[in-house]
Amino acid sequence: MDQLDFNRRQFMATMGAAAATTALGSRAMASEALKFWAPGIARVGNQDWSDMESQAGISIANIAKSARADEAIQKMVVGDGNALYDAMTDNGGGMEDALASQNAIVELEPSRIPNWGNLLASYQEGGTSFDTIRYEGKLVAIPYISNADSLAFNHDVVGEELNTWEALFDEQFRGRAAMQNDYGPTLTNTAVYLKQSGKQDIENPSDMTEAEVKGVCQFLIDLKKKGHFRTFWDGFQNGVDLLASEEVLVSSCWEPIQIVASRKNGADIRYGTMKEGHQSWNNVIMLTRGGQERGMEDAFYALANLYLDPWFGSRTLAGLGFTPQMTGVNDYIEANPADFDDDTKSTLVERLARKEARMANTGNAWQNVFPTNIRAYQDWWAQVQAA
């Protein structure tokens, strides 16, 4: 399997004993707004979700979501999440398995999604993303964005294309390099580099043994003690400011950080394709058990259908640069010149091609928010932070 099975033992250890949720209320009228627990990245168009509502033909009551994966699962499994939300997004890396295993979300019917045929081939049987929307072979989630996290670099200063993680750790950028202050993506991308470059023996960068975690963290600790990293960035704005100010020249980061940083001061800040591979991930939407019991299925499927429409895909690509989850995006952009001028079209075609190249790299490691040895990840990451 390309996405690791959810580690139930670890989940129960993290969450504590699961308690049965209270039976939920009566079925809602079909015209009621879909109570959608989701972050802003799930929206394109107007901030009040009116463009999304218009395109989907439903009313959406958005509840902003910022909880960590473990907090979100706790709210859905032992808290009041199913009473509050009809639909929700994940935090990546196995949440759909966790929620489905505890009956917090329900199985989906692709026949109720007219745009299901648009879904990328990677989600079909045998595809690299097949298991990321299924639990025990059953469809439980619909993807709306994905990406492969990479390296942003200031081309104006660096003067060349960077296509290897080696650049991030090269002494020429000592004091001008940054990584995310999060053990998940930082340890995974470092492990991908160390594995593919032959510098350390790592079987699976997505789910390392305790010894492998130690080796990766020791590598980072040694660099940190030498003053290699300017900082480990926290949050979107911090990541943007570091690049836009030229305080750092190379940074592992989310692609939206690179896009916004390049817009901020006009610098040629690029997002590379690393030859070793990347941490890849997707975000999905799910129908809660409570949403099904309240009769909100039609509204959910209307929203799911929109997320597989090139209307959404082209706009999430143009906005924060997330990867569309459907085919036909380039054709849609070409067919709608009023929405995309020639410069924008050229940028989007190039951006999508680079994304496809990154996602196709066989060295990629899938995001895993519940690694088997999560305690080792946490303990060793604390040592990286303290170094």
Side-chain angles (χ1 to χ4, degrees):
M1 294 177 64
D2 289 282
Q3 180 179 8
L4 296 164
D5 288 332
F6 174 67
N7 186 308
R8 189 180 299 240
R9 176 181 59 78
Q10 182 59 56
F11 168 64
M12 297 309 292
T14 301
M15 301 305 302
T21 52
T22 305
L24 299 172
S26 60
R27 295 174 67 88
M29 295 295 290
S31 60
E32 184 178 342
L34 182 76
K35 295 185 288 294
F36 187 31
W37 193 27
I41 59 174
R43 180 199 68 238
V44 298
N46 293 334
Q47 292 188 3
D48 63 1
W49 290 77
S50 58
D51 285 344
M52 296 284 289
E53 290 177 314
S54 176
Q55 290 293 320
I58 60 172
S59 295
I60 299 173
N62 173 244
I63 304 94
K65 182 172 183 285
S66 60
R68 300 196 316 264
D70 56 347
E71 293 173 339
I73 293 170
Q74 184 173 22
K75 189 168 187 65
M76 295 304 302
V77 174
V78 300
D80 58 356
N82 257 294
L84 295 174
Y85 313 127
D86 301 319
M88 65 178 292
T89 63
D90 67 335
N91 297 70
M95 267 186 71
E96 74 288 341
D97 294 332
L99 294 170
S101 72
Q102 302 301 310
N103 298 314
I105 59 174
V106 300
E107 184 178 0
L108 303 177
E109 303 172 46
S111 62
R112 298 180 67 173
I113 304 174
N115 285 330
W116 179 253
N118 293 345
L119 187 64
L120 295 176
S122 63
Y123 290 100
Q124 307 306 327
E125 186 76 45
T128 55
S129 307
F130 179 84
D131 292 314
T132 69
I133 58 174
R134 293 172 176 84
Y135 174 69
E136 295 184 343
K138 297 178 180 179
L139 181 71
V140 295
I142 304 299
Y144 68 95
I145 57 173
S146 70
N147 223 344
D149 293 337
S150 193
L151 179 72
F153 59 96
N154 190 318
H155 188 268
D156 287 339
V157 180
V158 174
E160 62 178 321
E161 289 294 325
L162 299 181
N163 64 358
T164 171
W165 289 110
E166 182 80 36
L168 179 62
F169 307 119
D170 193 293
E171 64 179 10
Q172 69 174 310
F173 296 121
R174 181 172 296 174
R176 308 291 294 278
M179 298 190 79
Q180 185 176 357
N181 189 23
D182 186 324
Y183 70 78
T186 293
L187 296 192
T188 301
N189 278 325
T190 305
V192 166
Y193 161 69
L194 294 173
K195 172 184 172 69
Q196 297 299 329
S197 63
K199 290 180 169 58
Q200 288 190 23
D201 291 329
I202 298 172
E203 182 175 352
N204 186 349
S206 286
D207 196 34
M208 292 185 282
T209 66
E210 292 184 22
E212 291 167 348
V213 172
K214 176 182 178 180
V216 171
C217 288
Q218 287 282 19
F219 173 79
L220 294 174
I221 289 170
D222 290 345
L223 285 170
K224 190 176 180 185
K225 286 182 175 179
K226 294 175 182 177
H228 184 78
F229 298 109
R230 172 65 184 84
T231 188
F232 285 75
W233 57 268
D234 271 305
F236 182 87
Q237 193 60 52
N238 184 212
V240 168
D241 290 343
L242 288 167
L243 283 165
S245 67
E246 298 188 5
E247 189 173 345
V248 302
L249 299 179
V250 291
S251 178
S252 65
C253 66
W254 315 320
E255 191 167 6
I257 287 178
Q258 172 264 323
I259 291 172
V260 175
S262 64
R263 291 172 181 167
K264 190 169 184 179
N265 67 357
D268 188 7
I269 298 172
R270 302 185 183 184
Y271 206 57
T273 300
M274 303 295 100
K275 66 181 183 181
E276 298 89 359
H278 322 78
Q279 176 184 259
S280 55
W281 56 270
N282 65 6
N283 282 169
V284 302
I285 66 165
M286 298 163 284
L287 175 62
T288 68
R289 186 182 69 253
Q292 184 183 63
E293 293 175 354
R294 287 185 290 272
M296 300 304 295
E297 288 177 287
D298 287 347
F300 172 84
Y301 284 116
L303 181 60
N305 192 58
L306 178 60
Y307 280 129
L308 297 184
D309 192 309
W311 178 90
F312 177 84
S314 61
R315 285 164 173 77
T316 195
L317 178 66
L320 290 175
F322 293 117
T323 306
Q325 301 303 283
M326 76 296 296
T327 59
V329 172
N330 283 338
D331 290 340
Y332 178 88
I333 292 171
E334 188 65 32
N336 290 272
D339 295 333
F340 309 98
D341 60 30
D342 288 343
D343 287 343
T344 301
K345 285 194 294 185
S346 177
T347 297
L348 297 187
V349 169
E350 179 187 3
R351 185 178 293 171
L352 187 57
R354 285 189 282 107
K355 287 174 172 298
E356 291 172 347
R358 288 201 305 273
M359 293 296 288
N361 192 312
T362 58
N364 289 350
W366 199 265
Q367 181 187 47
N368 180 16
V369 298
F370 297 106
T372 303
N373 297 294
I374 191 171
R375 181 58 63 84
Y377 279 74
Q378 294 168 334
D379 290 347
W380 272 103
W381 183 246
Q383 294 189 50
V384 173
Q385 292 177 307

